[in-house]
Amino acid sequence: MKKKVSVGLSIALLASSIPALASAHDHHHGYKGNHHPNAHKQIQSVEFTSMKAPSTVENMVKTYTDSAVKVTYKDGTVEETPLKYNQLFLSKDKIVKNKDEMIAAGTPIDVNGDPIVDTSVPDKPSNFISDAPDSNSMITIAGKTYLISHYEYDSMNNAGEDVHGLPASMTLTQVDRNPKTGELTVNNAKKIDFSNVNGLWTPCNGSTTSWGTHLGSEEYEPDARAFEDPSSSSYRDVTNFAKYYFGDEKKANPYFYGWIPEISVDNKGNASVVKHYSTGRFSHETMQVLPDEKTALFGDDGGNTMMFMYVADKKRDFSAGTLYAAKFNQTSSENGGAGDLQWIKLGHSTDDEVKAIIDKGVKFSDIFETASEPTEGFTAVKTNASKKVEYLKVKPGMEKAAAYLEARRYGAILGATSEFNKMEGIAVNKKDKKAYMAISYENGSMEKQDNGVRDDIQLPARESGATFQLNLTGGQADASGEKINSEYVPSNMGALIVGQDLEKPDAFGNTAAPDKIANPDNLSFSDDMNTLFIGEDSALHTNNFVWAYNVETKKLSRILSVPVGAEATGLRADDMIKDSRYILSNYQHPGEDLDGKQITAVDKQKLEDAMKNGVGIQETGGVGYISGLPSGKIGTGSEGDHEKDHHEKEDDHHGQEDDE
């Protein structure tokens, strides 16, 4: 997420329709279903052609693709099909039924399920509508397909003022799929109830589990130390949240927020929510479960952040487990940097144990002693929580509270590295036992520092960031010598794809090379296509893009462009629903920061006018999908012969045919 509370949204749900190649050519050549000549051929490989960056006002203000997918069959024949963008709905569209009223998809609701009203213009009250959808999961339950979408925040109120502390929301949308074309349409939608977990705070990216649930996030956790000062922005934000959500500022508690919510959908299409307190509290960008279904890695967004790993006691159950933080031992400063990883155990706990600590009303000052200058017995740390050097000591008996409620501060005290900057998306390559991590900006805390605290990361500034590859290995021990109960522990990491900063803006206002990735954010990996998909969150590119990077051929292809000023988020590239493959992606805050761009290649005023007259500037977001991808598993058989949808719960499948 580019900013904490000043972005908009427009979700570009990238999906690729699978009967896919068959359906695309059926439409053009009169074939039906699997009667396309290549429908039963075995696919050997898939690659994406790269589209040009938009160069006209018309293209700069829209979401579109000029990319194509090239499929090579095992008999040597090659077929190329253009990709196409299809819009599903806007975040301002009234598709949600809520208490017998139709409301916009991006409307936040309070503890009673009522829409939260913007009263900033007294004579014109209206519901808040988020312009910032983020993560999506598409899952199939009992033969029906559902889309879970985040709505991260609303940028400003009706009076044009920044909004502080507005509760966020998620929407559950049932979508129907045309069995012949794979086309998606909205059947119905409803808001997801977070009242049992004290509401939802800034949900950024997320992930879909292999057992058919959605793992959300709560980013930029409020600083509990600052909250104890009524003049702080932390106190303002959390108190405003309590007023909006509970209607009672006395219920404000910073420790309610900064967790991983898991959303399940039952056979009747009803969603339920739990927050996993034992996975630790920090700025959750996303939680990615690894192939053993018990190890998870996290993005920790912001400056001076930390790399965390969680190993659950049981598969598919994140209610109890062990939390670790990484120490980065740098081995190279070249080409984006590299280093070895050592893991420090923070503790073992359960959701119930951590929740009990929160429910007791514990405060930051109950957990830590503080000093205002270097003092014997206190550790100097600098973390994203305070963004300044602190001198801390854990009070006796408060280690568990420190480990889980203040995971980053406690990790830094124990020696973990708290110098990552803008740690964003995580993806996993099962076959090669690799994980990928987006570091959106390699600057600030990742440069050499001289502030009296540990300085593990010392890299040259690279504003455009890098995407790192992490090697996952078994048989590892933590820093104390205790064995880590996982075969998927990151042992080292190195930059795989790096951006290129420009010394001065080009004619389109780009300050990073437009044909290379700038500020990677969302990541998703398709195992059978050997492709890492990367969405940008960049102020350095005037238009942000979604890219496809083949990890075998090293080919980088631009496959989608989102509107000027917008950010590409919510990427999901391996969703298989029935006979359709869907790549999900969002775009946020179209038109943001356009005023500050030095653009001479096109008429800047015409560009701004086209944005205002089109999707609007920070007004709404669009949900759509890309069609044209091949169906089935690549290299494993015919196109119509693929494994059971991995997002459908085995015990929930009743053999129903698509949507009724």
Side-chain angles (χ1 to χ4, degrees):
M1 183 180 72
K2 187 174 293 181
K3 296 180 180 176
K4 183 172 180 180
V5 185
S6 67
V7 230
L9 129 70
S10 196
I11 198 178
L13 157 66
L14 266 143
S16 87
S17 152
I18 287 192
L21 284 180
S23 66
H25 286 267
D26 294 345
H27 177 73
H28 292 297
H29 301 298
Y31 295 106
K32 295 183 178 179
N34 286 329
H35 295 296
H36 180 269
N38 291 326
H40 297 288
K41 287 186 178 182
Q42 292 188 359
I43 299 173
Q44 179 172 304
S45 64
V46 173
E47 67 174 289
F48 295 88
T49 65
S50 190
M51 62 183 281
K52 294 180 179 179
S55 59
T56 65
V57 168
E58 178 186 7
N59 283 342
M60 291 176 73
V61 301
K62 68 181 182 181
T63 306
Y64 77 104
T65 177
D66 281 339
S67 178
V69 60
K70 186 163 71 173
V71 176
T72 301
Y73 295 93
K74 289 189 175 180
D75 67 0
T77 58
V78 178
E79 191 165 30
E80 189 169 306
T81 303
L83 301 179
K84 181 187 175 185
Y85 177 77
N86 310 270
Q87 185 167 285
L88 190 57
F89 62 85
L90 297 173
S91 64
K92 69 179 181 181
D93 286 347
K94 293 186 176 181
I95 63 170
V96 172
K97 188 172 184 180
N98 190 72
K99 294 190 173 183
D100 297 322
E101 176 189 11
M102 298 305 294
I103 61 174
T107 305
I109 58 173
D110 64 17
V111 69
N112 299 313
D114 296 318
I116 298 176
V117 179
D118 178 357
T119 58
S120 61
V121 179
D123 58 340
K124 293 183 179 179
S126 64
N127 295 345
F128 280 105
I129 300 174
S130 172
D131 56 348
D134 207 292
S135 178
N136 302 287
S137 281
M138 193 173 289
I139 58 177
T140 296
I141 304 294
K144 294 183 179 181
T145 300
Y146 299 92
L147 178 68
I148 297 172
S149 302
H150 291 186
Y151 292 90
E152 197 167 2
Y153 46 74
D154 195 6
S155 303
M156 59 186 65
N157 61 25
N158 289 335
E161 304 161 332
D162 288 344
V163 178
H164 300 285
L166 182 68
S169 71
M170 295 187 195
T171 296
L172 178 69
T173 305
Q174 184 187 334
V175 294
D176 294 334
R177 175 193 157 274
N178 185 309
K180 292 184 179 179
T181 67
E183 179 184 0
L184 299 176
T185 53
V186 174
N187 181 300
N188 64 80
K190 54 189 172 184
K191 301 305 293 187
I192 296 176
D193 180 11
F194 281 80
S195 60
N196 66 311
V197 291
N198 299 301
L200 178 65
W201 179 280
T202 317
C204 197
N205 198 1
S207 64
T208 313
T209 67
S210 59
W211 54 96
T213 63
H214 173 76
L215 292 172
S217 59
E218 290 187 310
E219 187 182 49
Y220 297 137
E221 84 287 5
D223 181 11
R225 180 178 185 176
F227 177 79
E228 296 187 34
D229 174 7
S231 67
S232 69
S233 60
S234 178
Y235 181 85
R236 175 201 64 196
D237 292 351
V238 181
T239 302
N240 281 351
F241 187 106
K243 290 176 184 176
Y244 280 126
Y245 193 72
F246 299 109
D248 182 359
E249 66 179 69
K250 293 180 181 178
K251 293 187 177 181
N253 185 342
Y255 288 136
F256 284 165
Y257 313 108
W259 307 101
I260 291 289
E262 183 172 12
I263 293 86
S264 303
V265 181
D266 66 19
N267 288 3
K268 295 182 180 179
N270 297 313
S272 59
V273 180
V274 297
K275 281 186 182 179
H276 288 308
Y277 301 103
S278 66
T279 60
R281 178 178 174 271
F282 43 94
S283 181
H284 281 291
E285 168 75 18
T286 190
M287 173 178 173
Q288 178 61 57
V289 181
L290 301 184
D292 63 356
E293 298 185 325
K294 67 176 186 178
T295 307
L297 299 176
F298 305 84
D300 184 16
D301 197 0
N304 284 99
T305 59
M306 190 169 284
M307 187 185 304
F308 293 96
M309 175 179 66
Y310 183 83
V311 181
D313 293 349
K314 300 177 182 179
K315 288 185 176 183
R316 302 186 174 192
D317 181 357
F318 291 98
S319 65
T322 305
L323 184 63
Y324 299 87
K327 185 180 188 306
F328 181 86
N329 299 306
Q330 187 168 312
T331 57
S332 174
S333 62
E334 302 296 319
N335 300 316
D340 295 329
L341 298 171
Q342 183 182 42
W343 292 94
I344 296 170
K345 181 179 177 179
L346 303 189
H348 176 278
S349 195
T350 69
D351 287 351
D352 289 344
E353 289 172 342
V354 179
K355 184 177 184 297
I357 296 172
I358 299 169
D359 290 345
K360 286 180 181 178
V362 69
K363 301 189 299 293
F364 173 90
S365 56
D366 298 325
I367 301 172
F368 294 101
E369 292 183 46
T370 63
S372 58
E373 59 185 20
T375 303
E376 184 177 354
F378 290 74
T379 304
V381 303
K382 185 179 181 183
T383 71
N384 187 62
S386 66
K387 300 178 177 61
K388 62 183 180 182
V389 177
E390 300 177 287
Y391 304 94
L392 303 176
K393 180 167 66 173
V394 180
K395 291 184 176 181
M398 298 305 289
E399 289 80 8
K400 180 162 287 191
Y404 290 90
L405 274 61
E406 296 286 352
R408 203 185 301 105
R409 282 173 163 132
Y410 186 64
I413 289 173
L414 296 185
T417 301
S418 59
E419 299 160 41
F420 292 96
N421 187 44
K422 297 298 292 178
M423 182 190 292
E424 305 278 357
I426 310 282
V428 59
N429 175 345
K430 299 176 184 177
K431 180 182 67 174
D432 298 330
K433 289 193 75 171
K434 311 286 187 186
Y436 305 100
M437 175 179 287
I439 301 293
S440 196
Y441 289 78
E442 286 189 309
N443 59 11
S445 57
M446 295 186 74
E447 298 177 69
K448 183 176 175 58
Q449 304 288 300
D450 185 18
N451 52 18
V453 298
R454 182 182 294 105
D455 194 18
D456 295 334
I457 305 177
Q458 300 182 18
L459 297 175
R462 187 183 301 269
E463 298 290 323
S464 50
T467 301
F468 281 77
Q469 178 175 281
L470 288 67
N471 291 311
L472 307 175
T473 60
Q476 290 201 60
D478 64 23
S480 69
E482 182 180 348
K483 182 181 178 181
I484 300 174
N485 187 25
S486 171
E487 294 300 307
Y488 291 89
V489 179
S491 56
N492 54 66
M493 60 188 291
L496 178 68
I497 309 165
V498 297
Q500 180 183 337
D501 301 348
L502 298 179
E503 292 184 2
K504 60 181 182 180
D506 67 12
F508 287 93
N510 297 303
T511 53
D515 290 331
K516 293 188 177 182
I517 297 172
N519 309 124
D521 189 313
N522 282 203
L523 303 180
S524 189
F525 191 79
S526 172
D527 289 283
D528 60 356
M529 290 192 286
N530 297 307
T531 299
L532 176 65
F533 293 89
I534 304 170
E536 294 181 336
D537 173 8
S538 181
L540 311 184
H541 278 173
T542 298
N543 284 88
N544 279 198
F545 310 115
V546 173
W547 303 81
Y549 177 77
N550 189 301
V551 297
E552 292 186 352
T553 66
K554 312 302 181 187
K555 180 180 179 180
L556 179 66
S557 304
R558 181 191 288 112
I559 64 169
L560 185 78
S561 177
V562 299
V564 59
E567 154 194 358
T569 66
L571 195 62
R572 189 84 64 249
D574 60 349
D575 291 86
M576 190 82 82
I577 304 296
K578 299 296 183 181
D579 289 323
S580 295
R581 182 192 303 268
Y582 295 92
I583 304 175
L584 308 171
S585 177
N586 307 343
Y587 65 89
Q588 295 189 354
H589 51 80
E592 188 188 53
D593 297 333
L594 184 55
D595 289 346
K597 288 289 183 182
Q598 301 177 40
I599 300 172
T600 59
V602 298
D603 187 311
K604 188 176 176 183
Q605 187 59 54
K606 289 183 178 179
L607 179 63
E608 186 172 339
D609 291 343
M611 277 300 305
K612 289 178 180 177
N613 296 329
V615 71
I617 295 178
Q618 295 183 247
E619 291 181 5
T620 187
V623 179
Y625 58 92
I626 290 177
S627 57
L629 293 181
S631 61
K633 284 292 184 182
I634 312 318
T636 60
S638 70
E639 288 195 41
D641 180 25
H642 54 75
E643 66 184 29
K644 186 178 188 283
D645 167 31
H646 68 287
H647 296 316
E648 181 166 359
K649 294 182 181 178
E650 291 90 338
D651 56 352
D652 283 342
H653 182 60
H654 300 294
Q656 292 173 268
E657 188 65 26
D658 294 310
D659 297 293
E660 296 173 353

